[in-house]
Amino acid sequence: MQYNPGWNNSSVNLLHVRAVGPSDTLHYIWSSIGAPAVLLVATESRSSALCVNWTQLLSPTPAGAIWIDPPSSVVYSSAIVFTKVFEYSEAQTLEELFYPTYDLSDFSWDSINHTLNHTALTAEFTGIPAADPGGSFSNGSLTFRMTAYEASGRDRPLPSLLHTANSSKVEFVLAGVAPRGNGSRFVLEVATVEETGVLQKLRSARSIDDEYTPTVFEMLSLVAESQNDSSALSFLQWKATAYGSRTPRREDGIQCQSHGLQAANWTLPVSSIVHAYFGEGVGSAYTISAINISFGGEDGKVYQEKRYLSWSALLGFGQPPKDTFSPLVISIMAVALGTPMVMLLVGSCVVLFAQRKHYSEYEPIN
């Protein structure tokens, strides 16, 4: 993990996470310069390196300021941008009342230098609006917390996402932000940037097993697929739930819904690292898609009680991890389904044996 490589000023945030494999390297470049974003770059070289022209990156024209050396080693690249947060509430007429949008490219972000943990491989991007006339953020903040992984495993805190060494986690947190209406709900807009020939698809997988995330039976994945062979190149994966506590429990669950994946026909908000890497072709030579993820129960009052909202997602390369039944669940199912079958078989054998025995009141005649 490298913080602002080649730059000694902590007034801006750029975090480079580099994972080296036997014959390749995965690069995650996180930044809050402009809208918070992460670049995902896969290379087929163990020695590929991130290069940053800081003077150009911080200029009004950052195109070309970020590249991977050697450029020929890059086999795939994409970006995920967290663009906006919407807040709305339902009026008595069941109409939705939207409040002014929080544009994340207009936020002021703290230095992540004091939150960077090289042992736990975590960092936090915390910010507030540069202009907050309503004072909603006077006692609150918005945070994107990232975690990198060195091996496969499962997170202990809910929603206990299953991860691999090819993935990282991002956690979206609203803490202490005053809602602007009764029963306010929040919506996070997420945009993706993909190369030509790559399509984004939203998958939903349901399971009867809620062992690791109680009462939640749906997993959603936003998967980038190659048009040529339909192979998965990257993904953003999350459980259909958020939580209203710093130490989440089942009863702290907040309903989470995804509102349609759409091709973005608007200009991507200012995100310096996306334009710095992909150049001015963003929006024309590259495909931009967007999805809205909303948080709030049916009455929308869950956040108002604790003023805390946490939503976790996994992002990475290749196929998203798939949950399978654990040995414990398999054993329980075997006992639950096997016991009635054994009783049925034993009962059938007893009945058949009893029918074959003949009883008579007469003595045999000699």
Side-chain angles (χ1 to χ4, degrees):
M1 297 175 67
Q2 298 173 294
Y3 174 62
N4 288 352
W7 185 255
N8 294 324
N9 195 325
S10 61
S11 61
V12 294
N13 293 316
L14 188 145
L15 178 65
H16 177 216
V17 181
R18 184 170 175 263
V20 182
S23 60
D24 57 2
T25 304
L26 304 179
H27 299 269
Y28 296 88
I29 301 105
W30 302 80
S31 178
S32 60
I33 303 174
V38 54
L39 294 174
L40 291 83
V41 184
T43 70
E44 55 184 3
S45 168
R46 298 187 78 252
S47 58
S48 60
L50 172 69
C51 300
V52 181
N53 183 330
W54 282 97
T55 303
Q56 188 174 354
L57 177 62
L58 301 178
S59 72
T61 56
I66 293 178
W67 70 95
I68 299 294
D69 187 42
S72 59
S73 66
V74 176
V75 293
Y76 172 73
S77 57
S78 68
I80 297 173
V81 188
F82 302 98
T83 52
K84 298 175 183 177
V85 172
F86 302 99
E87 182 183 350
Y88 72 96
S89 60
E90 290 186 354
Q92 294 181 353
T93 58
L94 298 182
E95 293 181 355
E96 293 177 347
L97 172 63
F98 277 84
Y99 299 96
T101 303
Y102 294 119
D103 190 333
L104 299 185
S105 63
D106 293 332
F107 270 48
S108 174
W109 301 93
D110 295 341
S111 171
I112 68 168
N113 202 20
H114 67 282
T115 67
L116 191 58
N117 189 323
H118 288 271
T119 303
L121 301 179
T122 59
E124 295 183 8
F125 297 81
T126 300
I128 60 174
D132 185 24
S136 296
F137 278 79
S138 57
N139 294 312
S141 62
L142 183 152
T143 299
F144 289 98
R145 185 178 299 134
M146 64 76 52
T147 303
Y149 299 109
E150 292 182 310
S152 299
R154 185 183 296 278
D155 279 351
R156 294 184 63 184
L158 291 175
S160 303
L161 293 173
L162 179 68
H163 61 78
T164 68
N166 294 341
S167 60
S168 296
K169 185 180 75 170
V170 60
E171 186 178 357
F172 166 69
V173 178
L174 274 179
V177 178
R180 290 174 284 184
N182 294 326
S184 282
R185 306 181 191 186
F186 294 92
V187 180
L188 175 64
E189 182 183 77
V190 183
T192 63
V193 180
E194 294 292 344
E195 300 170 338
T196 304
V198 179
L199 292 177
Q200 286 280 359
K201 292 187 178 180
L202 182 62
R203 300 176 182 173
S204 174
R206 294 182 179 272
S207 171
I208 62 171
D209 183 12
D210 68 339
E211 176 186 6
Y212 299 107
T213 314
T215 73
V216 179
F217 302 93
E218 184 180 16
M219 175 79 83
L220 294 135
S221 301
L222 189 59
V223 182
E225 293 184 352
S226 171
Q227 285 182 311
N228 297 330
D229 54 9
S230 298
S231 61
L233 300 173
S234 66
F235 64 87
L236 179 71
Q237 184 185 62
W238 65 95
K239 287 271 192 176
T241 185
Y243 292 95
S245 172
R246 297 180 187 274
T247 54
R249 298 169 297 173
R250 178 182 59 82
E251 54 267 30
D252 298 319
I254 297 176
Q255 188 179 13
C256 171
Q257 293 182 333
S258 303
H259 301 272
L261 176 67
Q262 296 182 352
N265 55 2
W266 60 88
T267 304
L268 190 71
V270 175
S271 179
S272 292
I273 65 166
V274 172
H275 288 91
Y277 182 82
F278 291 102
E280 299 299 336
V282 176
S284 56
Y286 299 92
T287 304
I288 303 176
S289 303
I291 187 171
N292 287 340
I293 301 169
S294 66
F295 314 99
E298 294 181 358
D299 57 1
K301 295 181 180 179
V302 179
Y303 176 80
Q304 234 170 356
E305 294 176 359
K306 297 184 178 180
R307 295 199 177 182
Y308 189 88
L309 168 67
S310 170
W311 171 77
S312 299
L314 201 69
L315 55 92
F317 299 87
Q319 285 281 3
K322 290 185 178 180
D323 261 321
T324 57
F325 291 112
S326 69
L328 174 63
V329 172
I330 292 174
S331 302
I332 293 173
M333 292 175 64
V335 172
L337 298 176
T339 302
M341 291 298 296
V342 171
M343 294 178 65
L344 181 61
L345 287 173
V346 172
S348 299
C349 292
V350 170
V351 171
L352 289 174
F353 180 76
Q355 288 179 345
R356 293 184 62 181
K357 295 184 66 175
H358 298 284
Y359 298 94
S360 174
E361 296 179 356
Y362 299 96
E363 291 293 333
I365 299 176
N366 188 355

